[in-house]
Amino acid sequence: MAAARQVNIAIIGAGGVGKCFLAQLEQLAQRRPNPKLVLCYISTSRKAVYSNEYSPIGLDIAVSALASSSQTPLALPSLAEYLSESDAKTVLIDNTSSQDVANAYPLFLSLGVSIVTPNKKAFSGSYKLWKDIFSASAQPGGGRVFHESSVGAGLPVISTLKDLVETGDEVTKIEGVFSGTMSFLFNSFAPTSGSGGKWSAEVKKAKELGYTEPDPRDDLNGLDVARKLTILARLAGLEVESPTSFPVQSLIPKELESVASGDEFLERLPEFDAQMEETKAAAEKEGKVVRFVGGIDVAAKQVKVGLEKFDRSHPIASLKGSDNIISFYTKRYGSNPLIIQGAGAGGDVTAMGVTSDLLKVLASL
Amino acid sequence: MAAARQVNIAIIGAGGVGKCFLAQLEQLAQRRPNPKLVLCYISTSRKAVYSNEYSPIGLDIAVSALASSSQTPLALPSLAEYLSESDAKTVLIDNTSSQDVANAYPLFLSLGVSIVTPNKKAFSGSYKLWKDIFSASAQPGGGRVFHESSVGAGLPVISTLKDLVETGDEVTKIEGVFSGTMSFLFNSFAPTSGSGGKWSAEVKKAKELGYTEPDPRDDLNGLDVARKLTILARLAGLEVESPTSFPVQSLIPKELESVASGDEFLERLPEFDAQMEETKAAAEKEGKVVRFVGGIDVAAKQVKVGLEKFDRSHPIASLKGSDNIISFYTKRYGSNPLIIQGAGAGGDVTAMGVTSDLLKVLASL
């Protein structure tokens, strides 16, 4: 039998998702000896581990090797050159949320390096970057690019939408709850039974449980959801210019937009509880509950993000915990949509989407 | 630029799914000129179209060419030889539900022919056949094999389960409604609001709407669901011997098992309405509704198929039309399962699963 082929893996980012991915990669390399997966580069924003000979870095000691390393990360153009000069095929795993790294994808892809990432920035930034990425990938010899975890973490959202489009179905509408944080907040604030807590108290609790960004305004401004909708709308064929080119409702009171810190924001948020209480009461009057959702009307070329009212029996209303739900309405599926539901955030499930994308790349190399 | 590579396509079966697939293949070939997809063989059980030179058969005229053809189908071993002797890579699309064709998969795969199919028989027959198929595929030079549409039609059920397992998650439980026919019957017979119709009347209506097999007993015996559970259980790691090696509840009254025809069965079914009415009433007494479900408990190595009671607010109870719903409970996803829901039957959505599998094979060739 022939010797196992080798595939080089480079990883940028070793935070929550990065560490979970390393653990999954270690398991994968043990279970599937062919192709041989060789970690040849790993970096955080300040440190790196690599050698001129692409020597394997032990997957079990990568994190501690990083901590004790005195090497600094290669500049992105140098990293692209370094990776593309190996004889082996190479996959870059971008586990950051960096716009800079995203901007370099076309360079990596044009040099034949494949990319797997949960980073939303590349696919929800300017429409020019989106086009540059996919045209670099489509060139002869271009690398492949997968980003399942950029929407709904490990849930099969991107792959399902691509399958629908590529097999010739006509997607007419996409709607759902796309943020684990928003899901948790509204499931607690406006539950389908019982009365729920005060808005500011729920935000504080979500932060304490680690369900929000360090500054909760980074969730409440709606931009995270807008980025995900931008990605799905583009996959469905709409040329969305940017995540700020359609209506996005922010849940940050105008008066608190410019306060200095997340802590000060949380301190003053109770002043605005009455506004959210009013919104909740208005929905209750109609027998409904309020939820923070995103929607894409493909025919009308409209994308929007914000609060909407739902019947208590609606699947969006009865969501639990921090689950996401995404409904695809298509010509083939008719009046009952294809629905995908489950945890849409968390290190392990996000890393799972990255690992399953890596398996797709490996199958194609 | 290099000339487009060529991939040969052979199709067995030109019924409901087969015709929908041909239409999708025609669209696909127009949209994606590379690789060039060449239909070189198509057959029904009695007729075939092919030539010694693998000449392209027009995708738009394949059905009419079949109708007017005087060629008979090649025997399966001859077909395998014929396909494997071409210089081009070849994909066999099995759009039948034939056990004979399924039995020949190991031969095709060992000769390097890839297989894409909605045919459940290959994956839910004997455990020996299952092992033979996947070991033939795993050989150096073996063909690839995909069968998304064998469970839930085009819904991403198989691919999601494979992703969970291959990325190292631990699947603990799978449950759901796996039959469009059973879904329709119970959503009408025991709706979450209102009283529903008589059992025999609902079965008759389902048959008239084309939702059942020609003889409705082929749905009501539970074997179709048992086959799907067998496939999922095996993918989750259980060595299920056959679809009859675990408890399967049949909804055919003993007295009607051996009546001669489906028509006679339907005529006599009203005699047994009282039994089903009793089952419905027993559930109603607990505020519940009855549904026909399948479940796999991976840890306990148990598979079962039959009637169960569900709260009216349970996602399985509130299913609509002939939708399927499949819940994956895993270690990573915790207490809230990963759920996939939507139409699980129909020519177009079944063909969609076949077409998306074909795209996966093409990406790997």
Side-chain angles (χ1 to χ4, degrees), chain A residues 61-225:
Chain A
I61 56 130
V63 173
S64 58
L66 257 180
S68 62
S69 176
S70 56
Q71 288 177 293
T72 53
L74 288 169
L76 292 163
S78 309
L79 177 60
E81 199 180 327
Y82 165 75
L83 295 177
S84 67
E85 279 172 356
S86 161
D87 293 335
K89 300 270 188 185
T90 304
V91 185
L92 172 68
I93 314 283
D94 173 16
N95 281 332
T96 73
S97 57
S98 154
Q99 185 70 56
D100 284 345
V101 179
N103 290 342
Y105 287 2
L107 174 63
F108 284 93
L109 293 165
S110 66
L111 292 171
V113 176
S114 293
I115 292 174
V116 168
T117 185
N119 185 351
K120 287 184 279 288
K121 299 275 169 65
F123 312 97
S124 61
S126 74
Y127 192 64
K128 180 179 181 306
L129 178 57
W130 168 276
K131 281 190 298 186
D132 287 349
I133 287 171
F134 290 102
S135 60
S137 172
Q139 281 168 28
R144 306 204 65 194
V145 54
F146 287 97
H147 56 103
E148 183 64 76
S149 285
S150 62
V151 180
L155 297 175
V157 176
I158 302 275
S159 54
T160 298
L161 178 54
K162 277 166 112 175
D163 280 350
L164 289 165
V165 171
E166 287 176 4
T167 63
D169 200 357
E170 202 179 296
V171 179
T172 52
K173 198 170 81 171
I174 304 172
E175 66 169 23
V177 172
F178 295 89
S179 153
T181 312
M182 290 292 199
S183 182
F184 178 83
L185 284 174
F186 283 92
N187 298 342
S188 316
F189 170 64
T192 49
S193 63
S195 60
K198 280 204 186 316
W199 176 247
S200 60
E202 296 298 346
V203 175
K204 210 174 155 204
K205 190 169 82 187
K207 175 165 176 173
E208 283 161 7
L209 289 168
Y211 288 170
T212 71
E213 297 292 324
D215 185 337
R217 286 176 295 182
D218 291 336
D219 294 297
L220 297 176
N221 64 11
L223 183 59
D224 170 73
V225 177

Side-chain angles (χ1 to χ4, degrees), chain A residues 31 166 332 339 341 352, chain B residues 31 166 332 339 341:
Chain A
R31 279 199 314 273
E166 287 176 4
R332 282 188 200 136
I339 299 175
Q341 182 180 331
M352 171 195 153
Chain B
R31 278 200 312 275
E166 287 177 4
R332 280 188 203 136
I339 300 174
Q341 182 180 328

Side-chain angles (χ1 to χ4, degrees), chain B residues 39-307:
Chain B
L39 178 65
C40 69
Y41 180 93
I42 184 165
S43 70
T44 61
S45 55
R46 292 175 305 133
K47 294 189 167 200
V49 179
Y50 63 99
S51 72
N52 285 337
E53 300 77 26
Y54 308 97
S55 309
I57 304 162
L59 292 166
D60 50 339
I61 57 128
V63 173
S64 59
L66 258 180
S68 62
S69 176
S70 57
Q71 288 178 294
T72 54
L74 288 168
L76 292 164
S78 309
L79 176 59
E81 202 182 325
Y82 165 75
L83 295 178
S84 67
E85 279 172 357
S86 161
D87 294 333
K89 300 271 186 183
T90 304
V91 185
L92 172 69
I93 315 284
D94 172 18
N95 281 333
T96 74
S97 58
S98 154
Q99 184 70 55
D100 285 345
V101 179
N103 290 343
Y105 287 1
L107 174 62
F108 284 94
L109 292 166
S110 66
L111 293 172
V113 176
S114 293
I115 292 175
V116 168
T117 185
N119 184 350
K120 287 184 278 288
K121 298 277 169 64
F123 312 97
S124 62
S126 75
Y127 192 63
K128 182 179 177 307
L129 179 57
W130 168 276
K131 281 190 299 187
D132 287 350
I133 286 170
F134 290 102
S135 60
S137 172
Q139 281 169 28
R144 306 204 67 195
V145 55
F146 288 95
H147 55 103
E148 184 63 77
S149 285
S150 62
V151 179
L155 297 175
V157 176
I158 303 275
S159 54
T160 298
L161 178 53
K162 278 167 115 176
D163 279 348
L164 289 166
V165 171
E166 287 177 4
T167 63
D169 201 355
E170 202 179 296
V171 179
T172 53
K173 199 172 81 173
I174 304 171
E175 66 169 23
V177 172
F178 295 89
S179 154
T181 312
M182 291 292 199
S183 184
F184 178 83
L185 284 173
F186 283 92
N187 298 342
S188 316
F189 170 64
T192 50
S193 62
S195 60
K198 279 204 188 314
W199 175 248
S200 60
E202 296 300 345
V203 174
K204 209 174 155 205
K205 190 170 80 189
K207 174 165 174 171
E208 283 163 7
L209 288 167
Y211 288 171
T212 71
E213 297 292 325
D215 184 337
R217 286 177 295 183
D218 291 335
D219 294 296
L220 297 176
N221 63 11
L223 183 60
D224 170 72
V225 177
R227 285 193 177 279
K228 291 168 181 165
L229 272 280
T230 300
I231 296 173
L232 297 181
R234 286 172 176 174
L235 286 173
L238 298 184
E239 296 189 5
V240 176
E241 189 44 48
S242 82
T244 55
S245 63
F246 52 85
V248 177
Q249 183 178 1
S250 169
L251 299 186
I252 307 172
K254 276 238 170 315
E255 296 84 341
L256 301 187
E257 272 173 1
S258 53
V259 299
S261 70
D263 286 340
E264 190 184 341
F265 168 76
L266 277 178
E267 223 165 82
R268 292 194 47 197
L269 193 57
E271 301 167 25
F272 301 87
D273 275 342
Q275 285 178 16
M276 285 298 282
E277 212 53 48
E278 223 171 87
T279 308
K280 177 156 93 173
E284 272 171 4
K285 228 182 204 168
E286 303 176 38
K288 296 183 175 182
V289 293
V290 68
R291 292 290 181 266
F292 194 85
V293 297
I296 301 167
D297 182 331
V298 180
K301 299 189 179 183
Q302 279 177 347
V303 185
K304 60 180 179 173
V305 170
L307 291 174

